[in-house]
Amino acid sequence: MTAGEDVEQKDRIESSDKASPKWGGSRQLLRRLRDIMATGEGAQERLNRIVAIIAHEMNAAVCSIYIRRAGDVLELFATEGLKLDAVHRTRLRMGEGIVGDIAAYARPFALADAQKHPNFAYRPETGEELFHSLLGVPILRGGRVMGVLVIQNKEPCNYSDEQVELMETIGMVVAELIAAGGVVRRREQAPMDGLALKPLRIDGVQLSSGLAMGRAVLHRPHVPIGKMVAEDEGKEIDRLEAALSAMHSKLDHMVKTVDDDGDGGDHVDILKTYRMIAEDRGWIKRIREAITSGLTAEAAVVRVQNETRARMAKVQDVYLRERLLDLEDVAYRLLQHLTESNGNGTATQEDLPDEMIVIARNMGPAELLDYDRERLKGVVLEEGSSTAHVAIVARALDIPVIGRVSRILSRVEPFDRIIVDGNNATCFVRPGEEFRRVFQTSMELHAQQRAAYARDKDLPAVTTDGVEIGVHMNAGLLIDLPHLHETGAAGIGLYRTEVPFMVRSDYPGVDTQADIYGKVYDQADDKPVIFRTLDIGGDKVLPYFQDMAEENPAMGWRAIRVALDRPAMLRQQLRAMILAADGRPLNVMFPMIADTSEFLKARDALNKELARARARNQVVPSEMRVGIMFEVPSLAFQLPSLLQHVDFVSIGSNDLLQFFFASDRGNPRLDKRYDAMSPGFLTLIKHIADQCHAANVTVSVCGEIAGNPLCAMALIGVGIRNLSMSPWSVGPVRSTVRSIQMASLADYMASQLNSPDHSLRSQLLAYAKDHKVIL
Ligand code: PEP
Ligand code: MG
């Protein structure tokens, strides 16, 4: 089944023995609506005629249109069948009654007996006690709910899928009528929330750090659709085919251009995946069907796009959501091709501001790459998660991104000034002049600091009393690699091999993997790289591993657990690493090891691959170092046996912290509840560090805390000598290291670990201030 074919079950409550009401078919109805739209009558008259026609053609006793007004109220604007006195009197809040529910969730409702539904809100002025069955759909335009269209019948009856779809299509036509003006004041329709002209501060979650200021560009602005109803079905199918083929060739061209550039391995994979989605058969079939029901090609695309959005709101599965998101994006591209062919194109890149802050519900990585890299300064999303592809690519490109910013699309107008403070996960809409000046100053300071870090990149990362600290960088995409040299990082302390797997559409074979790892080696030059084997599962989903839905994925079948159960996959990856090393030293790290025996099994797979390479007279790595990620607390009690076998240990504090405190790392409600700077957690780190030093095993920390100067100071104070972090943290942490006096810090940390406090942050800040540690 393709993403486009996987049709969501509509919200319906059926009554088993009730037939669906007879109705006249879609084409005739759409034609009659088109004729009404073309008349010069007033908007109210047209609405009145529309409800009468729909009721007649769909054999319904009632047809009503509710329109959304300022203050999120739905007002009955026209009805055929309810008492006319109720028009402009009956008003429901969003979420109130069945009509309010349809609007609030932007989903259709088909009920054989609406009065039995718990949300039924009886309004005596309408006289609707006579009617039992109800079919209601949201009136949608550009993803925004503009009202609700309802039909009702006296007898309980089941509405068919075709009727639901036709009602949704009619909803789109009515949306155009509302948007054309004269129904409600324009001000009420504008996607605003009453705070339109006031500056707004809205918090979200950090997907990529950094600061940016610019003008809003609404990603995928509404594409105006001139004609909704087709005059000639054959012609519309031809237009669709032409637009599909133009879109496919444009995507082919994009893939080829990036491929020819040579350095964009990951970009090519991302675009190729995307190119495949653009051929989704289920999706194209649904568009064709919508044309056959009487719509123009554009309207058919919008119709299917609306369905995709409605499904996206409900789908929990991360993989399916990403695919639906891509489909939505492809639909938008197709729409642009269709409207361009009409001479009705949308804004081109040239029309966009010089400093762009892109505002989107969500976006795919290919779309991000579509924007001019020079002008794109920041991104604000209504959705998004830190493992979404767009966040991964944005981090690599150093573009600040804030996600889960509530209703941002409805609060911003094109060209509004926007400030993105990715460091604090906050965005400011229409900030005042004074605030902009202050922010500009802090951006300049940041830029100066960055320049200073770049200047100091060759200074040794050594404390004032001569202890050397290895400051390494984490990476996952090839576009991360140039930062290794720019920042002066000592090497790649964590190369997340799953990232290139995540951005492609099919499982990469040994040669492809070897090619990727070989490029990493080449770009790292002679700096060391630690390759972590696949850490999939949890929130890291591979398109070709769809049978992984789990109740509790973070603690589920992931990382080394998958690898040990799928030994061929692990061996292929290790084979690719040996090939890529091509006689150079190879560092391999296994993720999520929970006991020594798991490590030994993984190590055995590596030994077998080395033996295989030798048996075939292939070059083997000049040196092998094999280690583990310390992410599961159980390992703390296995260190004596484990440390006899490993060359290094890297503490994955992101996972370790969540398992230590039993606190989901992705749950925003628990975000600030437990602190890595707690005496308990730091005591665990000290225990691991002490044991590793005693066994002469290198120990490092590669989770997010390693890149925070204050936390880095504390980690160094409890014995950590190697840190690996995002590229942009390397400079700040190196400068912290150079301001630390190790002996004094170690004593201080030892004196604090028995503290009963929830966190040691305030003590650490005070220490840094007193001892002039640069944070
Ligand atoms: C960690 O858990 O700290 C870690 C570095 O691994 P990841 O964030 O990739 O799970
Ligand atoms: Mg981890």
Side-chain angles (χ1 to χ4, degrees), residues 573-587:
Q573 186 172 32
L574 296 169
R575 195 175 306 162
M577 287 176 186
I578 293 169
L579 268 173
D582 195 20
R584 293 171 279 200
L586 174 61
N587 304 308

Side-chain angles (χ1 to χ4, degrees), residues 217-218 221 250 332 336 339-340 344-354 356 370-372 375 415:
V217 170
L218 301 193
K250 188 143 183 217
Y332 184 73
Q336 280 182 314
T339 46
E340 269 161 26
N344 194 8
T346 50
T348 62
Q349 294 256 356
E350 288 75 55
D351 300 327
L352 299 176
D354 282 343
M356 301 188 272
D370 245 5
Y371 283 97
D372 175 359
R375 287 189 287 163
F415 282 84

Side-chain angles (χ1 to χ4, degrees), residues 36 58 113 134 138 176 217 262 316 334 354 481 540 578 619:
I36 294 180
M58 296 202 64
D113 195 344
L134 176 149
E176 292 307 313
V217 170
Q316 296 296 327
L334 183 58
D354 282 343
L481 270 293
K540 297 169 190 166
I578 293 169
V619 270

Side-chain angles (χ1 to χ4, degrees), residues 15-19 158:
S15 173
S16 55
D17 56 342
K18 311 298 175 214
N158 293 330

Side-chain angles (χ1 to χ4, degrees), residues 494 496 532 535 540 629 631 652-655 665 702-703:
L494 166 63
R496 291 179 162 108
R532 176 174 77 178
D535 180 11
K540 297 169 190 166
M629 291 279 290
E631 294 162 291
S653 52
N654 306 340
D655 275 313
R665 79 193 237 193
C702 65

Side-chain angles (χ1 to χ4, degrees), residues 19-30 53-60 135 151 153 157-170 292-294 303:
S20 81
K22 295 209 172 349
W23 59 294
S26 64
R27 221 131 9 120
Q28 180 181 325
L29 173 49
L30 287 175
I53 286 175
I54 298 171
H56 178 258
E57 293 286 333
M58 296 202 64
N59 205 16
L135 164 58
I151 55 172
N153 284 79
C157 56
N158 293 330
Y159 297 99
S160 67
D161 279 344
E162 289 80 43
Q163 283 167 308
V164 176
E165 287 186 8
L166 177 59
M167 282 284 280
E168 288 180 314
T169 304
I170 300 168
T292 324
S293 79
R303 163 97 188 69

